[in-house]
Amino acid sequence: QKEVEQNSGPLSVPEGAIASLNCTYSDRGSQSFFWYRQYSGKSPELIMFIYSNGDKEDGRFTAQLNKASQYVSLLIRDSQPSDSATYLCAVKVPLGSGYALNFGKGTSLLVTP
Amino acid sequence: NAGVMQNPRHLVRRRGQEARLRCSPMKGHSHVYWYRQLPEEGLKFMVYLQKENIIDESGMPKERFSAEFPKEGPSILRIQQVVRGDSAAYFCASSPGVGRSRHSYEQYFGPGTRLTVT
């Protein structure tokens, strides 16, 4: 089983700060990466996906991918208490015309007012 | 535009009973995926189905678990003779499959079924 590793946290940041969430993966052939947010007792919600090396920005969120280092990160600018959740990193595993998501265990983020 | 629907949302079964979990994909989606989230564990892929076909079931336990996605109706995840270790949240996700849009491959998750085995 290919590994996707995340620091479980909790990561605590003050309101308004930048939260940095990190993820490493073991399969060098992986091509596509996803960040999901999961509130306690709820289902995962897609935040961003990234395929190319470099940065991808969407509002307060920036995903960063470095395939050489097998590293993907998520930055959340101007963190809000409502961002407090578990953030799941996932790697796409191709299966025919579809794919499975290989998830890390998630990083718990706590944004304090 | 209704999202992925799952029912029941909560299911309690005694050891040895059968559990049936249902998933209706988003309208227009032909690919269904089942994942399981055990307490304190990450989400784990179980099975990938298209209409009337199991495409990949590499994540399914070898015994007691089965899945189907019939031509008509929802996808069903069936767990026979449940044990306490089956207690978990079971999530279904769907995607449109191959298409021109860059979003074709995104998986959208349903609200999940929380199974408790007593």
Side-chain angles (χ1 to χ4, degrees):
Chain A
Q1 172 75 348
K2 308 295 185 183
E3 298 295 328
V4 179
E5 300 286 345
Q6 294 182 258
N7 188 322
S8 62
L11 173 66
S12 182
V13 300
E15 185 175 357
I18 296 175
S20 178
L21 303 157
N22 304 317
C23 172
T24 59
Y25 57 95
S26 64
D27 183 2
R28 185 168 289 278
S30 297
Q31 297 293 318
S32 306
F33 308 86
F34 300 79
W35 282 100
Y36 282 81
R37 176 175 62 196
Q38 187 176 28
Y39 292 109
S40 180
K42 303 295 185 182
S43 60
E45 172 192 7
L46 180 65
I47 298 174
M48 292 187 71
F49 55 88
I50 185 166
Y51 303 144
S52 303
N53 274 327
D55 294 359
K56 178 182 178 183
E57 187 174 319
D58 184 359
R60 296 187 296 113
F61 299 98
T62 299
Q64 299 175 317
L65 175 60
N66 183 326
K67 290 184 179 180
S69 300
Q70 295 176 237
Y71 176 95
V72 58
S73 64
L74 180 70
L75 301 178
I76 307 174
R77 289 181 299 282
D78 189 24
S79 296
Q80 301 296 311
S82 59
D83 294 326
S84 299
T86 296
Y87 289 79
L88 305 173
C89 171
V91 176
K92 177 179 174 180
V93 179
L95 297 173
S97 60
Y99 65 98
L101 289 168
N102 185 11
F103 283 92
K105 289 186 178 182
T107 297
S108 175
L109 173 66
L110 177 63
V111 180
T112 56
Chain B
N1 185 17
V4 179
M5 295 191 291
Q6 290 187 250
N7 65 80
R9 296 289 300 275
H10 299 274
L11 182 62
V12 179
R13 285 287 179 266
R14 290 197 179 95
R15 278 180 299 171
Q17 291 184 319
E18 178 180 285
R20 281 186 180 239
L21 289 61
R22 288 177 290 278
C23 168
S24 296
M26 286 179 70
K27 186 177 180 180
H29 287 194
S30 57
H31 296 217
V32 166
Y33 305 83
W34 285 92
Y35 293 84
R36 177 167 68 172
Q37 190 169 36
L38 292 163
E40 307 304 323
E41 293 289 326
L43 275 160
K44 298 294 184 186
F45 166 75
M46 299 180 75
V47 62
Y48 162 35
L49 310 104
Q50 295 179 27
K51 284 287 187 182
E52 299 185 277
N53 282 302
I54 297 174
I55 307 302
D56 189 289
E57 54 183 345
S58 57
M60 287 274 271
K62 293 290 185 279
E63 297 176 350
R64 302 187 297 108
F65 284 72
S66 62
E68 63 177 7
F69 189 15
K71 186 176 180 180
E72 301 292 337
S75 175
I76 306 284
L77 179 68
R78 182 182 178 204
I79 311 172
Q80 294 179 290
Q81 300 176 324
V82 297
V83 301
R84 288 216 171 110
D86 297 332
S87 295
Y90 292 82
F91 292 99
C92 167
S94 73
S95 75
V98 177
R100 287 187 291 259
S101 166
R102 68 183 179 91
H103 297 295
S104 291
Y105 284 99
E106 292 174 15
Q107 291 187 13
Y108 296 88
F109 281 77
T113 294
R114 271 106 186 132
L115 172 66
T116 302
V117 179
T118 61

